[in-house]
Amino acid sequence: MYRQTFIQWGQAHIVLVVPVEFMEYETVIGLEVHVQLKTSSKMFCSCPADYQSAPPNSTVCPVCLGLPGALPVINRKAVDYTIMTGLALNCEIPEHTKFDRKNYPYPDLMKGYQISQYDLPLAVKGCLEILVNGDQKTVGIERVHLEEDVAKLQHVSNESGVNYSLVDVNRSGQALMEIVSMPDMRSPDEALAYLSSIHSIVQYLGVSTANMQDGSFRCDANVSVRPFGAPEFGTRTEVKNMNSYRAVFQALNYEVERQCNLLEQGDRVVQETRGWVEERNITVSQRSKEYAHDYRYFPEPDLPPLIVDSKWVERIKSLIPELGHNRKLRFMSEFALSDYDADLLTLSKDTADYFEEVLNLYSTAAVDIANVHKMVSNWILGDLTRLLNLSSLSIYESKVSPGKLVQLITLISTGSLSASLGKTVLEECFESGDDPDNIVAANGYVQINDVTVMEQAVSDVIDQNPKAVADYLDGNESAARFLMGQIMKLTQGQANPDVANQLILARLETERVK
């Protein structure tokens, strides 16, 4: 059996078909979310943090290269951002914290160890409220800690069939925050709602670009299943290599079904790390974790312990902006938007900012438009979002600035442009970046309000479509909508639809009494 589920990523709506969960087993999911922080420099050195477009191995120094004798220095802004995130997740901020060495010999780890946090992280014991299918649930946050990112490996196969890997050290040393949940999620839907909420929070806080595609927002999942009512957790696997919401959702569903099938067949689930293979829609074994890794943690000797006093915490707390949930409630009360519209508008901070910027421009222009809030919301969530999704652009990357959208809606509201032609103007503005006023003037898109002109158009359409007229007179009211479509086609979408509809209905009633 299969079911459909709906997820949202940015402004996109995604429909996925997934198998119904095995009813005799309960799913247990915990997520480890890794967030690259939006600092100017790396975590422990002064190298620039903007490495995405830099040539390989060009933003490096002795510290992030791991050269002997190089000494790290803590990035204060990264600590501030981690405390801020912890507070937004209702965490406690311990007064005493420190950095530790996490030892493991991977080729992307320049020093042979990673500077991270072990037993004294910056934030602990938090929680996050999520909404899943209309039901509210609390997910516990075990910890939020700070560490450095690793280098990036590029796996290459040349024409001779020789396989090798290249190391780009630019990413090494980037400030990386890790948010570790409790194993409180019981379905991929809950995990997706949690991940979406975390993404929204770090975006609103401004601590990260939170772009999953470039790796600044990524997650690993710990997944297990157990018989319903069992007090103990089942054997878990760790799933990696998920670089989109769709990948996370599909990987979790696959892994749950795989583990349930193993138990049904009398086999056991092996504790291991598995990777999601997008092309095949499966997880594959990467390495065994039959026994817990011994990372041989010990306090980082080159960094002093941190004392986070109450004044420091209060200063950070005062900098926390309005977050998505509160903004949604304000949009509903201040602008009379529905729960659905307010939720979609505030899911992305950029979209919410764009919406309010459009409304501010209306207020300064002193344009009196009835129900302007709903109208702006409809254009943003409807046609503009459709164009953004087709072009894979964010709302501020498009050429339709808030001022241009104000122009377009004003033209429609004042009767200068029909709503159907407004869609055409929006598309042309999206492509060219030209002002809607100029597009309307250049193409003669001005709405026809002249009753005499429209009466002639109505007369022509009635004469050319006797069958539709007969159908309407026989009780088929949809025939009137067909005739309306013919009017818009004849006038190239320029007829005032309200006036045209009134004239069509009046003429049809005249035909009835003949």
Side-chain angles (χ1 to χ4, degrees), residues 56-67:
N57 301 312
S58 61
T59 59
V60 295
C61 71
V63 174
C64 51
L65 280 169
L67 299 183

Side-chain angles (χ1 to χ4, degrees), residues 298-372:
F298 63 87
E300 168 56 65
D302 292 330
L303 292 173
L306 279 178
I307 305 299
V308 183
D309 60 28
S310 58
K311 289 183 179 179
W312 190 351
V313 174
E314 288 303 314
R315 179 180 66 83
I316 299 299
K317 187 180 293 185
S318 70
L319 299 176
I320 296 178
E322 180 184 43
L323 298 179
H325 177 69
N326 293 331
R327 201 172 196 181
K328 171 187 171 180
L329 296 178
R330 178 168 64 82
F331 278 15
M332 292 171 66
S333 62
E334 187 174 337
F335 305 133
L337 295 177
S338 67
D339 180 279
Y340 180 77
D341 285 354
D343 189 52
L344 292 181
L345 284 171
T346 56
L347 191 62
S348 161
K349 181 178 183 297
D350 282 349
T351 303
D353 289 346
Y354 186 97
F355 172 75
E356 292 212 83
E357 194 171 342
V358 171
L359 294 183
N360 288 336
L361 289 173
Y362 270 117
S363 64
T364 56
V367 179
D368 185 17
I369 298 175
N371 203 20
V372 65

Side-chain angles (χ1 to χ4, degrees), residues 22 128 175 218 277 284 389 412 417 494:
F22 292 76
L128 177 63
R218 53 193 194 263
V277 182
V284 297
N389 290 339
I412 296 168
L417 185 68
Q494 292 177 255

Side-chain angles (χ1 to χ4, degrees), residues 441-478:
N443 293 278
Y445 286 153
V446 177
Q447 181 167 268
I448 299 172
N449 293 302
D450 190 319
V451 174
T452 303
V453 174
M454 282 195 285
E455 282 179 339
Q456 181 60 52
V458 168
S459 181
D460 291 344
V461 166
I462 293 291
D463 292 342
Q464 293 166 11
N465 296 276
K467 184 178 185 309
V469 174
D471 288 345
Y472 178 84
L473 297 178
D474 286 340
N476 184 359
E477 295 186 358
S478 64

Side-chain angles (χ1 to χ4, degrees), residues 131-136:
L131 196 65
V132 187
N133 300 322
D135 297 324
Q136 197 167 39

Side-chain angles (χ1 to χ4, degrees), residues 375 379 407-419 422 447:
M375 191 178 300
W379 278 97
Q407 272 189 30
L408 176 64
I409 297 177
T410 302
L411 287 168
I412 296 168
S413 301
T414 56
S416 301
L417 185 68
S418 68
Q447 181 167 268

